[in-house]
Amino acid sequence: MKKVRWRFLIAGFAALALAQGALAAAKPAAAQPAQGQAPAASETKAFGDWTVRCFAVSSPSPCEMLEIRVAKKTGQRVLAVLIAYVPSRDASVIQLAVPLGVALQNGLVLASDTFTSPVMHYSRCDIQGCYVQNVIDNGTLDALGRATKAQLQIVFVDGRKIALPFSLDGFTAAHSALVDLAKAKATKPAAEPSTDQQTQGQPQP
């Protein structure tokens, strides 16, 4: 069971590697590097405050739904919420991006009027911010679909506690489109060899 779950996480976070490119692509063009840019989305659909994007790549999860919030004065990203769906596992993974300066040991909490997550721990930071990456179950997705408001609760290194709100307008429609598009475009993962196949050709003791 652990082996299967680990392979699912690899597939899910491979999808989120594509998602990180989507976050980078949301920056102003002048700020993007000339090399190593994320692939352009081959299909984009808007649902309220959410965007569903698919990429012309061979992947078990080539699509994601995304919401980015920026500061009005500076245009800098304040938060991003991205969800990718993995059809081969009928499951989703989520990436949450918040500003630098957070207290890493405190993690963050995703809260809505229908659901409050346990503390989720940061997986990494880069020059744009810090990130949480995790599996998100269908019950949580359903709860967010019923909610009217949501926020990420974070703690900065100086002890300040901040709530970063984001919109759920279009969330349910976006997720439904995400699932349909991912199923249509995903590449099936390679079949795993059986135990017997894995042991063939091994030297005898």
Side-chain angles (χ1 to χ4, degrees):
M1 182 63 69
K2 289 182 179 179
K3 188 175 183 181
V4 171
R5 181 173 177 80
W6 176 243
R7 284 176 176 150
F8 162 65
L9 288 173
I10 291 175
F13 293 138
L16 284 175
L18 207 64
Q20 292 161 13
L23 294 181
K27 297 188 297 181
Q32 294 187 31
Q35 297 181 346
Q37 292 181 341
S42 61
E43 187 171 353
T44 302
K45 296 183 178 182
F47 299 88
D49 291 320
W50 291 81
T51 299
V52 176
R53 295 174 174 174
C54 294
F55 297 85
V57 295
S58 178
S59 169
S61 180
C63 304
E64 74 258 350
M65 57 185 285
L66 171 73
E67 180 181 335
I68 297 176
R69 293 282 165 168
V70 300
K72 292 182 179 179
K73 291 184 178 181
T74 65
Q76 295 296 310
R77 187 184 74 201
V78 176
L79 71 83
V81 181
L82 188 146
I83 297 172
Y85 177 70
V86 185
S88 61
R89 298 296 183 185
D90 187 27
S92 301
V93 286
I94 189 169
Q95 176 173 274
L96 306 171
V98 298
L100 291 170
V102 292
L104 298 180
Q105 69 275 13
N106 289 83
L108 65 74
V109 171
L110 191 165
S112 74
D113 48 354
T114 59
F115 167 82
T116 299
S117 76
V119 173
M120 296 187 284
H121 297 287
Y122 297 104
S123 59
R124 65 184 184 89
C125 297
D126 62 20
I127 60 172
Q128 297 183 61
C130 294
Y131 305 86
V132 165
Q133 297 178 161
N134 211 340
V135 176
I136 182 169
D137 60 46
N138 290 332
T140 300
L141 291 168
D142 291 343
L144 288 174
R146 298 192 306 271
T148 59
K149 56 184 179 181
Q151 61 185 14
L152 302 181
Q153 299 172 353
I154 62 175
V155 181
F156 283 101
V157 291
D158 61 6
R160 287 179 298 139
K161 296 181 180 180
I162 302 293
L164 302 175
F166 63 94
S167 171
L168 293 171
D169 179 24
F171 180 91
T172 299
H175 187 257
S176 178
L178 168 67
V179 171
D180 290 343
L181 287 168
K183 286 180 177 179
K185 297 176 180 293
T187 302
K188 292 183 179 180
E192 297 175 3
S194 66
T195 302
D196 290 340
Q197 290 174 323
Q198 289 175 344
T199 57
Q200 287 179 0
Q202 293 182 355
Q204 296 296 320

